Amino acid sequence: MINMKRYAGGKKPYELFSEAVDRKDKNCADTIALNAHKHKVEIAYRYYERAMGNQKLGLLTSSTVLSRIKQPLLGMYSSGCKLVKDFRTWHFNNNSQTYNNVCPYCTINSANTTEHILPKEVYPEYAVNVFNLIPACSECNSFKREDIFDHSGKIFTINFYTDTLPDIRYLFARITSIEGGVQFEYYLENRNGVDVNLYALLERHFQRFHLIDRFYDKAVQELPNIINYFKCENITCEIDYDNAASKLIRKTDEDAKAYGRNHWRIVMNYDAATSPVFKSYIMTQLNLTP
């Protein structure tokens, strides 16, 4: 997981909203309602930017005035509308290409939807606010639903624009022997001193989006690639294995610059390369004695 750059396409979010309204049929009842409340929308957008800057989006209340035109506001949003399409193009062109069309919430699936950080059903005034949009996958979208807080009243979703993600590890993979092979089980641990509040948010995010179980499934799929890497390294003795493992660690350190140190594949590669259990398994597969 890595932070994302928020939209900075030259026009402010309200300007984009206003232009989108101007493209609509001026005689339509929804357009008339939107034009009558444009100033209120502009004020709401200012509130959003202020709350975002103070990292207090969760404390932002929905506009009671604008709730009266909820349906026209929601009608502004569609995955194929020009504003959303332009936002997605900017987002993917200006963020790490390793996350091009990849969901930041899980780092697994394609970002085939555009998610609302503050849910549009609760905050219809931000349905097309580009600061409130982020590409995501439909699976994560279904886990998130229209909620903001968990059962204890805590925000459970990482804001990839404003929550500064740590560059130290908090995600690890425990490698154990099983009949006929090895398995990788992911877990969170704050052994490296992540800020306690941020770490608690990470825990809530992982729980809400079922990431530990989903990473396990990906590890099952990825395991043959790591095994094949070692099999192709012409290993004839323990020293050869250690050199191949060091090579994988160096590559993983480079990959982490683009994917983030806590990306599920980065974690899997690094922990495989440093695991005595995995080493023993590979050496046995190669008919060598560790």
Side-chain angles (χ1 to χ4, degrees), residues 9 49 59 78 89 101 104-105 119 122 134 137 143 146 148 156 166 174 178 193 214 216 245:
E49 290 189 45
L59 301 178
S78 73
T89 298
N101 207 33
Y105 288 109
V122 182
I134 188 165
C137 71
F143 287 135
E146 300 298 331
I148 302 172
F156 63 79
R174 184 180 295 109
I178 59 173
R214 293 165 72 187
Y216 174 83

Side-chain angles (χ1 to χ4, degrees), residues 90-101:
W90 186 94
H91 181 91
F92 292 129
N93 285 343
N94 289 274
N95 281 290
S96 172
Q97 292 302 293
T98 55
Y99 280 81
N100 199 334
N101 207 33

Side-chain angles (χ1 to χ4, degrees), residues 63 159 256 286:
S63 168
N159 187 321
L286 297 174

Side-chain angles (χ1 to χ4, degrees), residues 44-195:
Y45 275 37
R46 290 178 192 166
Y47 287 156
Y48 188 99
E49 290 189 45
R50 188 181 306 160
M52 182 175 61
N54 295 328
Q55 291 190 287
K56 293 182 178 179
L57 280 180
L59 301 178
L60 201 59
T61 57
S62 182
S63 168
T64 54
V65 174
L66 292 175
S67 65
R68 299 170 192 165
I69 58 163
K70 178 177 180 177
Q71 292 311 313
L73 287 167
L74 292 178
M76 292 288 294
Y77 175 83
S78 73
S79 59
C81 75
K82 183 179 186 304
L83 188 153
V84 175
K85 289 170 68 175
D86 288 350
F87 160 77
R88 287 177 65 90
T89 298
W90 186 94
H91 181 91
F92 292 129
N93 285 343
N94 289 274
N95 281 290
S96 172
Q97 292 302 293
T98 55
Y99 280 81
N100 199 334
N101 207 33
V102 175
C103 175
Y105 288 109
C106 64
T107 68
I108 295 173
N109 298 330
S110 296
N112 59 350
T113 69
T114 304
E115 171 61 22
H116 293 80
I117 295 169
L118 293 182
K120 66 181 186 299
E121 288 294 332
V122 182
Y123 299 86
E125 60 267 39
Y126 304 129
V128 290
N129 183 335
V130 288
F131 287 169
N132 195 49
L133 303 179
I134 188 165
C137 71
S138 54
E139 188 174 12
C140 285
N141 203 331
S142 67
F143 287 135
K144 183 173 180 287
R145 300 193 299 275
E146 300 298 331
D147 300 327
I148 302 172
F149 305 102
D150 66 5
H151 64 278
S152 64
K154 300 286 189 180
I155 290 177
F156 63 79
T157 304
I158 295 169
N159 187 321
F160 290 91
Y161 299 140
T162 62
D163 293 319
T164 303
L165 295 174
D167 192 37
I168 53 178
R169 285 188 62 185
Y170 52 81
L171 178 66
F172 301 89
R174 184 180 295 109
I175 304 171
T176 56
S177 296
I178 59 173
E179 185 176 354
V182 292
Q183 69 178 11
F184 287 69
E185 296 177 284
Y186 288 90
Y187 65 97
L188 296 173
E189 184 175 286
N190 196 12
R191 68 175 71 164
N192 293 317
V194 176
D195 173 82

Side-chain angles (χ1 to χ4, degrees), residues 247-290:
K247 178 181 174 182
L248 180 57
I249 291 172
R250 292 194 299 273
K251 179 183 183 303
T252 300
D253 283 339
E254 288 300 311
D255 289 343
K257 295 175 183 178
Y259 288 93
R261 197 158 295 279
N262 294 283
H263 186 280
W264 65 270
R265 186 182 289 111
I266 299 297
V267 169
M268 185 179 185
N269 285 344
Y270 187 85
D271 287 354
T274 57
S275 167
V277 173
F278 190 79
K279 177 179 180 179
S280 178
Y281 169 71
I282 294 295
M283 295 290 279
T284 300
Q285 290 289 298
L286 297 174
N287 296 316
L288 299 171
T289 302

